Structures are given as C-alpha cells and as structure tokens.
Amino acid sequence: MARRKKGEEKNMGKVAIYPGSFDPITYGHIDVVERALEIFDKVIIAIAENEEKRPLFSVEERLQMVKAFFKDTPKVIVDSFKGLLVDYVAKTNAIVILRGLRATSDFEYEFHMASMNRSLNTHLDTLFMMTSKDYFFVSSRTIKEVARLGGGVEGLVPDLVVRRLKEKFKLPVAKKKQIGWDD
Ligand code: PNS
C-alpha cells in the first residue's frame, strides 16, 4: 500500500502554511490565501511573533484582525508562532510553505529564506504565488506609512484594518493652509 503523505492523514487533505508578519494583513495577502484555497484543502496563516521587527500591531491584535476576516472560512486556520518556522511547520500537517511574490525585488529575500528553510529541513518546499495585478504595489510597510501620514488605504486592506490603523495613528485633523510665495 502506498505510504500516505503528511497532511493526508486523518483526512486533513493538503495543507499549506502561509507564514508572515501580517502587520497588518492586506488584500494582497488575502488574495494569495484565496487563490491557494483553490489548490489546498486548508491554509494555515501563521503569524510570526517577531518583536525584533518592532511591529505596529501586537501579535494579539494581528491575530484578531486576521481571524475576524476569515471567521466564515473554515478552510483557513489562523495561528501564531515563535522561533523557527521549520519547527512550527513540523508540528502541523502542512506539506508546503506558501509565500506571495509581488515583484522581482521580492525575489532575493524570498530566495534566501526558502533556501535557508530548505537547508534546515530538506523535505520542506516553498511555493510562490504571484500576487494579482490589483495588489502588486500593496505591502504592509507602505500601508502603515500612508495611514500614518493620513492617506486613505480603503480598498487595500479590510475595513477592520482601516479602523485599527486610524485608532493607532491618532492624527490631528490638519488645518487648511494656503501655501504661497508670502509664507
Ligand atoms: O511577512 P514577512 O515579515 O516577510 O515574514 C517573514 C517570516 C515571518 C516568514 C520570516 O521572518 C520567518 O519565517 N520568521 C521565523 C524565524 C525563522 O524561521 N527564520 C529563518 C528563516 S530565514
């Protein structure tokens, strides 16, 4: 009898693990998850507790936002992890690490990370999905910068995230000022 692959035990089906900081989650991330669900039976969104990256949102806040978005999607499991990703993956039924690629500029960072993970666990592959054209310019970093400076990020992140960003950056309403040569 053929040996069952990891993840196919207990009728779990094919499970992918989608790790990241998700500080905060964007529609770019969500697009990757939704397209991955066409291929995998379950996707585990694994939020890294990476305090050294000085995240804007605590891990609890990030968990809450991601869980709220996927509350009606039982094929998505939301969790957090500390330490090495390969150690966390080993505790799950995941058969692959999933990452999104927006542009060639992402490639070097992703290539190093995938190669390091592969060297730590030779059985673990990383699968890359191209972010759809509507979100290729969206990153958590630029979302935070735009929101901090009072710009609109509606349509690029879920409404709950828009609200949480506004709460974080309690910006005073700027007074209108005429800018001219006399200033
Ligand atoms: O969204 P990000 O910040 O690009 O995600 C990076 C993340 C969290 C996937 C990566 O930093 C990670 O896997 N961290 C856990 C620590 C680890 O395993 N490091 C070795 C891989 S280079």
Side-chain angles (χ1 to χ4, degrees), residues 14-170:
K14 284 194 164 49
V15 182
I17 200 144
Y18 184 30
S21 302
F22 303 102
D23 183 41
I25 189 158
T26 70
Y27 276 129
H29 297 128
I30 291 163
D31 172 63
V32 168
V33 174
E34 284 174 348
R35 284 187 297 120
L37 287 174
E38 307 271 323
I39 305 169
F40 297 98
D41 299 297
K42 276 206 162 47
V43 172
I44 302 173
I45 301 181
I47 304 177
E49 289 193 38
N50 42 3
E51 288 310 311
E52 70 286 354
K53 281 199 177 176
R54 300 173 63 83
L56 174 67
F57 292 100
S58 69
V59 74
E60 290 76 23
E61 289 171 319
R62 287 179 274 154
L63 272 168
Q64 194 255 334
M65 286 186 278
V66 182
K67 279 185 177 169
F69 187 85
F70 288 106
K71 68 178 189 322
D72 299 322
T73 315
K75 289 168 89 180
V76 172
I77 295 164
V78 186
D79 196 10
S80 63
F81 73 99
K82 261 189 189 152
L84 283 178
L85 174 63
V86 290
D87 292 340
Y88 175 73
V89 175
K91 293 183 206 148
T92 71
N93 289 305
I95 54 169
V96 85
I97 296 173
L98 180 69
R99 292 284 289 173
L101 268 186
R102 284 162 306 195
T104 47
S105 50
D106 283 346
F107 180 78
E108 202 170 319
Y109 168 60
E110 294 297 337
F111 178 69
H112 282 140
M113 209 153 59
S115 307
M116 178 54 85
N117 285 330
R118 181 109 188 159
S119 116
L120 291 167
N121 178 346
T122 48
H123 302 293
L124 199 53
D125 258 312
T126 303
L127 180 79
F128 294 101
M129 293 191 84
M130 297 302 296
T131 307
S132 88
K133 65 175 174 36
D134 299 333
Y135 304 116
F136 76 90
F137 60 95
V138 177
S139 71
S140 300
R141 189 176 58 78
T142 51
I143 289 289
K144 282 182 283 193
E145 181 168 337
V146 170
R148 182 172 58 81
L149 298 172
V153 292
E154 287 81 1
L156 303 178
V157 293
D159 292 347
L160 173 64
V161 177
V162 174
R163 289 202 297 280
R164 293 282 183 274
L165 283 164
K166 283 186 177 156
E167 286 161 16
K168 280 274 172 199
F169 302 118
K170 290 187 195 94

Side-chain angles (χ1 to χ4, degrees), residues 167-180:
E167 286 161 16
K168 280 274 172 199
F169 302 118
K170 290 187 195 94
L171 290 170
V173 180
K175 275 198 191 144
K176 259 199 175 159
K177 182 174 180 255
Q178 288 290 324
I179 298 176

